[in-house]
Amino acid sequence: MPDRSAPLPDLDAIRLLALVADTGSIGGAARRDGISQPSASKRIAVLERRLGLRLLRRRTTGSELTDHGRLVTEWAREVLRATDALLAGAAALRTAGSETVRVAASQTVAEYLMPLWLAELRTVESGARVRLEVMNSTGVVAAVVAGDCDLGYIESPGVPKGLTTSTVRDDELLLVAAPGHPFTRRRTPVTAADLLGTALVVREQGSGTREVLERAVGTLELADVLELDSNAAVKIAVAAGAGATVISRLAVAAELTRGSLVQIRTDGLDLRRQLRMVSRRGARPSPAAAALAQLSHRR
Amino acid sequence: MPDRSAPLPDLDAIRLLALVADTGSIGGAARRDGISQPSASKRIAVLERRLGLRLLRRRTTGSELTDHGRLVTEWAREVLRATDALLAGAAALRTAGSETVRVAASQTVAEYLMPLWLAELRTVESGARVRLEVMNSTGVVAAVVAGDCDLGYIESPGVPKGLTTSTVRDDELLLVAAPGHPFTRRRTPVTAADLLGTALVVREQGSGTREVLERAVGTLELADVLELDSNAAVKIAVAAGAGATVISRLAVAAELTRGSLVQIRTDGLDLRRQLRMVSRRGARPSPAAAALAQLSHRR
DNA sequence: GAGGGGTCATAGACTTCGGCTATGCCGGAC
DNA sequence: GTCCGGCATAGCCGAAGTCTATGACCCCTC
């Protein structure tokens, strides 16, 4: 992979571009950003040079986006959204105070859904503080029961008793492998029996992903298994040809469209599951907790 | 819009973190990044300080991610993906050569789908050069017919003749308004007749979005209309209370989950449409064009 | 159990980059 | 004509990033 190809643009410049689009002038964006007008002008100029595009049409009455600028700005907002999600997630990991919503989430939820919710929460309840802990589904339930957490998010099929649960989202595990894996050349769907005879990469015991897989293949014993404790590690191992795996669609969406992993059709395997929120029955949630709970159920 | 005063993390640091995750050591990541090991060490340290999190567990055999580091890295990859999309899009706008795939796309496709495809294309056919032009659906068809483009992407319902077309994706327009808009308090769905009596913000004539709207409301004349020529401008106007609008779900997905715009239920309005690819019948696509065409149909 | 090869952090010198103030140019408004 | 708002340029300065050199640490091997 060539890495040093081109200097990455500056996030500050990207944000500034979005501010220019909002305010209609470079100077206005500079004021909002708390920097001087010449600095803003220069930042934008550097960004234009780096991208090789004219983004703004400078008029003496202000600046407006060119056609190219309009597109780049839209794409820039996507980068800023992802950055917001990262920062919101980091803030939730760092927070330890007591006036905070305490959340426990299983890996898939924490990785792929939680940061979005947190970023959105920040725009709705900007004062809300969230402490996020990541553990497997079993641990999440225990934490909620013990009162260590206000909200929990799990991905395992088991029904915890004594807790209020609600489905946040339907999820599905997919059988995937590296391009060129024998499974990719099959004409018939893969069955549970087929899985037993192949090298598999799986998540650790206690993870929701593992539970769904074991439920789907029944009591049969899996052989030749490489066990790893994170979705990222699993994906890397599978892409490197260590075997096939069964993993959440959320976790491999990017890899599938990019083609670095391919989905294998299956037959007779029920790999659907639900991502659910759990909380103590009868507990009165704080406003921030209620907001997060509501957010996480939207679409 | 929050005017973030907190320092934004550095994209270089974010990429470096992902490289550390891939290589398992700071020094290794530094080599891949073309910088010295101490520089990499410092960059990571600064990132950790900025986020307030310990991301790496430094061992003398290398470095491994902490639990927090694992999560942050996953979120960081999302930022990098968005950045890749932006850069790939910018490259496509800047390219003018003749050995390139010439693509024309309507606004919705160009804004929300094309950069992802381009970023993916870059990982598959790294040498591919793409020239992207944005125009409304009518213009796209004309460009493809005239041979100015190899591939076109449109969002209008009309069937261009003499061209090969294929559906890339199902899309749907949504009626949305700002929170507090009278429509949001209605108990019954909004009908075509209701739309005629309200202030609307619409895209310009010739845009696919406009065509779908006009087809849905029939021949009736819309009154009290503010006409703008980009989805972004429309969203800003609607959020500011200028009226309701009908706009692609792709364009407002973020705003809806964030709650800055709300969807209004409708009845008797067919707002579905298809985003389609068009090309000249019988034209033999270049390998890069074929790859892009295939990519855009995945999923 | 001593050395080699790998890891990472620190120190100090140098350079680069981005910020600010001051100023000039330009076009529209009055 | 004059004024005002917006933008670019120039020049200075400080912060931040980079490099090389070096030391501490651990694992592995012999």
Side-chain angles (χ1 to χ4, degrees), chain A residues 121-133:
Chain A
L121 180 67
R122 198 147 67 162
T123 74
V124 178
E125 299 254 337
S126 53
R129 290 155 56 95
V130 176
R131 174 171 61 79
L132 173 64
E133 283 188 87

Side-chain angles (χ1 to χ4, degrees), chain A residues 26-27 37-38 41 58 60 63:
Chain A
I26 293 181
Q37 171 267 322
S41 173
R58 279 90 161 163
T60 118
S63 292

Side-chain angles (χ1 to χ4, degrees), chain A:
Chain A
M1 282 279 119
D3 304 80
R4 211 62 189 121
S5 43
L8 256 57
D10 189 352
L11 270 182
D12 293 311
I14 287 178
R15 183 189 50 191
L16 186 61
L17 175 64
L19 284 175
V20 172
D22 291 344
T23 63
S25 85
I26 293 181
R31 277 189 295 280
R32 278 231 227 161
D33 207 19
I35 63 175
S36 71
Q37 171 267 322
S39 301
S41 173
K42 197 164 155 188
R43 279 224 287 238
I44 296 286
V46 169
L47 179 64
E48 283 182 317
R49 191 156 41 76
R50 285 236 221 285
L51 296 179
L53 297 174
R54 281 224 2 215
L55 303 176
L56 296 182
R57 180 166 306 125
R58 279 90 161 163
R59 325 246 3 188
T60 118
T61 80
S63 292
E64 60 177 13
L65 294 169
T66 62
D67 290 345
H68 287 175
R70 215 165 295 165
L71 273 176
V72 170
T73 302
E74 211 53 36
W75 302 336
R77 291 190 199 278
E78 199 54 44
V79 175
L80 294 174
R81 256 195 287 278
T83 306
D84 269 358
L86 187 153
L87 290 176
L93 291 177
R94 148 167 34 98
T95 298
S98 63
E99 271 300 324
T100 68
V101 186
R102 298 161 304 167
V103 177
S106 59
Q107 269 208 36
T108 303
V109 176
E111 279 184 11
Y112 302 105
L113 299 174
M114 188 58 70
L116 304 174
W117 297 338
L118 294 174
E120 288 156 20
L121 180 67
R122 198 147 67 162
T123 74
V124 178
E125 299 254 337
S126 53
R129 290 155 56 95
V130 176
R131 174 171 61 79
L132 173 64
E133 283 188 87
V134 184
M135 47 193 83
N136 63 31
S137 299
T138 313
V140 170
V141 170
V144 173
V145 168
D148 293 335
C149 292
D150 305 310
L151 296 177
Y153 292 89
I154 61 175
E155 56 194 82
S156 67
V159 181
K161 45 176 159 239
L163 297 181
T164 302
T165 83
S166 60
T167 296
V168 165
R169 187 156 175 160
D170 289 315
D171 187 28
E172 187 186 11
L173 302 189
L174 306 178
L175 176 61
V176 301
H181 186 280
F183 275 172
T184 64
R185 290 190 295 274
R186 288 175 55 118
R187 300 232 153 253
T188 58
V190 170
T191 65
D194 294 325
L195 284 187
L196 302 180
T198 331
L200 280 189
V201 183
V202 301
R203 285 286 304 280
E204 81 283 3
Q205 286 281 357
S207 67
T209 301
R210 175 68 169 268
E211 282 187 41
V212 173
L213 171 62
E214 293 187 338
R215 185 197 58 186
V217 299
T219 60
L220 305 170
E221 281 279 314
L222 294 171
D224 201 0
V225 152
L226 171 61
E227 187 172 305
L228 297 171
D229 65 353
S230 83
N231 287 329
V234 168
K235 287 192 285 185
I236 290 173
V238 170
T245 193
V246 165
I247 191 170
S248 167
R249 155 166 274 138
L250 287 168
V252 290
E255 284 78 4
L256 289 180
T257 42
R258 199 168 59 205
S260 59
L261 293 175
V262 294
Q263 180 179 354
I264 313 291
R265 270 189 314 146
T266 60
D267 187 41
L269 285 171
D270 182 13
L271 295 174
R272 290 169 304 173
R273 68 171 172 182
Q274 277 153 357
L275 306 179
R276 289 175 299 163
M277 190 185 83
V278 301
S279 56
R280 254 180 314 173
R281 200 188 296 287
R284 201 183 323 280
S286 68
L292 177 58
Q294 196 208 340
L295 256 176
S296 61
H297 282 84
R298 283 209 204 131
R299 195 62 230 299

Side-chain angles (χ1 to χ4, degrees), chain B residues 152-176:
Chain B
Y153 291 88
I154 61 176
E155 56 194 81
S156 67
V159 181
K161 45 174 159 238
L163 297 180
T164 302
T165 82
S166 59
T167 295
V168 165
R169 186 155 176 162
D170 289 315
D171 186 28
E172 187 186 9
L173 302 189
L174 307 178
L175 176 62
V176 301

Side-chain angles (χ1 to χ4, degrees), chain B residues 26-27 37-38 41 58 60 62-63:
Chain B
I26 292 181
Q37 171 267 322
S41 173
R58 279 90 160 163
T60 99
S63 293

Side-chain angles (χ1 to χ4, degrees), chain B residues 86-167:
Chain B
L86 186 154
L87 290 176
L93 292 177
R94 152 170 27 100
T95 298
S98 64
E99 271 300 326
T100 67
V101 186
R102 298 162 304 167
V103 177
S106 60
Q107 269 208 35
T108 304
V109 176
E111 280 184 10
Y112 302 105
L113 298 174
M114 187 59 70
L116 304 174
W117 297 338
L118 293 174
E120 289 157 19
L121 179 67
R122 198 145 70 161
T123 74
V124 177
E125 298 254 338
S126 55
R129 287 155 57 95
V130 176
R131 174 171 60 78
L132 172 63
E133 283 187 87
V134 184
M135 48 193 83
N136 64 32
S137 299
T138 314
V140 170
V141 170
V144 173
V145 168
D148 293 335
C149 293
D150 306 309
L151 296 177
Y153 291 88
I154 61 176
E155 56 194 81
S156 67
V159 181
K161 45 174 159 238
L163 297 180
T164 302
T165 82
S166 59
T167 295

